[in-house]
Amino acid sequence: GTSSSSSSGPSCNSQRVLADGIPGVVGAAVGGSISRDLRGDPTAERNVGGAASLSVLGKKNITQRYLKNLDMLDSSRRNMPGSVDTERPKQYVPGNPYRTPSCFPDLPAPVFDSPNFFSKFDTDTLFFIFYFQQGTQHQYLAARELKKQSWRYHKKFLTWFQRHNDPKFKNEDYEQGTYVFFDYESGWCKRIKSDFTFEYCHLEDELRI
């Protein structure tokens, strides 16, 4: 009987050709057994898309142009950016640079990058780091530790508050009572504020602990 080749697989005319002239079946095989066959056996072009590949590209293109594209793709794959490439480099830039003796340390000790280390600081040190290391990882870690100690940051007054006792009144919008707040402008000390209304719209609630 007579058999039809179109029913058993794609013909030369129906084979998809990519923009660079490489048949779709060839482009899809990068890194697979087909690429390994081509690299190991110069006569293995018959394995790539059957006889259709030869009729589309010719033997010369299969062994040179196609292998060149494979080399470029393999080189790109080997040099793919990793997760560490997305991290910002940790370069210390002092806020107030000053020429100091060469025997002085010029970089912070790595231990200061540990979140657990900040739990050993007293509140005065944490406030100092928060206000004088702005825009740094240390400021974030100091704020995180202050929140663990029940301090809450007021976005309007730009300072930290802590309940002195339970609120006298509380609803969904605010609470009222006596608070301890940190005076960073005039006294660098903790002060008591009675009958203070803390509106929740001014409460910093983005930092998770």
Side-chain angles (χ1 to χ4, degrees):
T2 303
S3 61
S4 174
S5 60
S6 61
S7 60
S8 60
S11 65
C12 174
N13 294 331
S14 64
Q15 187 169 6
R16 181 170 59 89
V17 179
L18 301 181
D20 59 356
I22 300 178
V25 66
V26 177
V30 175
S33 59
I34 294 179
S35 63
R36 288 195 296 270
D37 290 341
L38 281 176
R39 294 178 184 279
D41 183 2
T43 64
E45 57 267 21
R46 62 180 179 273
N47 297 330
V48 185
S53 301
L54 292 177
S55 61
V56 173
L57 295 177
K59 183 176 180 180
K60 183 177 180 180
N61 286 337
I62 281 290
T63 56
Q64 295 181 6
R65 182 180 180 181
Y66 174 60
L67 290 180
K68 182 179 179 180
N69 278 279
L70 275 183
D71 288 336
M72 295 172 63
L73 289 173
D74 285 347
S75 177
S76 297
R77 179 181 57 81
R78 289 193 301 268
N79 295 279
M80 288 177 58
S83 58
V84 69
D85 296 321
T86 63
E87 298 179 0
R88 298 178 59 185
K90 296 182 178 179
Q91 298 178 349
Y92 176 69
V93 179
N96 298 293
Y98 187 81
R99 185 179 297 276
T100 57
S102 58
C103 59
F104 286 8
D106 56 0
L107 291 174
V111 68
F112 290 110
D113 293 328
S114 172
N116 296 330
F117 193 73
F118 278 69
S119 62
K120 302 178 181 179
F121 293 148
D122 57 25
T123 53
D124 191 67
T125 302
L126 293 173
F127 286 132
F128 178 84
I129 296 172
F130 179 81
Y131 285 107
F132 285 91
Q133 298 290 326
Q134 298 181 16
T136 65
Q137 176 75 0
H138 294 163
Q139 184 189 36
Y140 165 80
L141 294 175
R144 186 168 173 261
E145 186 60 33
L146 286 168
K147 291 191 72 171
K148 286 183 178 180
Q149 299 178 17
S150 300
W151 288 90
R152 295 295 180 263
Y153 188 69
H154 198 291
K155 295 189 291 186
K156 179 180 179 180
F157 297 117
L158 306 180
T159 192
W160 292 85
F161 282 79
Q162 188 182 62
R163 290 174 179 172
H164 189 262
N165 47 37
D166 293 336
K168 298 178 180 178
F169 179 80
K170 181 179 180 180
N171 61 20
E172 295 181 354
D173 298 322
Y174 66 90
E175 62 183 56
Q176 191 174 40
T178 302
Y179 294 83
V180 180
F181 75 95
F182 185 74
D183 181 5
Y184 71 96
E185 290 184 307
S186 59
W188 197 261
C189 61
K190 299 173 185 175
R191 301 185 187 276
I192 299 291
K193 181 69 174 179
S194 302
D195 297 325
F196 178 74
T197 301
F198 199 126
E199 299 179 66
Y200 294 144
C201 63
H202 299 310
L203 173 65
E204 182 279 316
D205 198 28
E206 299 176 5
L207 180 63
R208 302 301 178 186
I209 59 175

